[in-house]
Amino acid sequence: MKQLDKLAEIVKAHALEHYEDGGWDVIMECWTNKEIQEHLEEAKATTPEEAIKAFQWLVNVYAERQADAVNSAF
């Protein structure tokens, strides 16, 4: 298995483990393995820690949008 394949699997496992933790659900539901790998390659991630960090800013954006959607419903 290639390094990017392994890192993508680590990101997906982390996303599944943190599915309810604001934003990680979007990675699980909307991102393909290829898209995850491309993002990791662009971020030059080579370790599991770097792979998770490469997605953290993006997950935070999704979490903010989800929170805004919930807050605007009332």
Side-chain angles (χ1 to χ4, degrees):
M1 185 181 277
K2 295 179 190 175
Q3 178 69 6
L4 284 177
D5 292 334
K6 290 179 186 177
L7 291 176
E9 290 301 318
I10 289 168
V11 168
K12 288 172 41 180
H14 183 84
L16 181 59
E17 184 178 332
H18 297 277
Y19 191 87
E20 299 290 329
D21 300 337
W24 284 103
D25 59 317
V26 176
I27 304 303
M28 283 298 302
E29 300 290 336
C30 302
W31 284 63
T32 65
N33 280 359
K34 183 179 178 183
E35 290 170 327
I36 292 171
Q37 290 172 1
E38 288 172 355
H39 184 73
L40 291 171
E41 191 170 32
E42 288 175 13
K44 296 180 173 54
T46 59
T47 66
E49 295 79 14
E50 291 173 349
I52 300 303
K53 187 176 179 179
F55 279 89
Q56 191 61 58
W57 71 270
L58 187 61
V59 168
N60 290 344
V61 171
Y62 289 133
E64 287 176 24
R65 288 182 179 177
Q66 290 171 343
D68 287 345
V70 169
N71 291 336
S72 68
F74 298 103

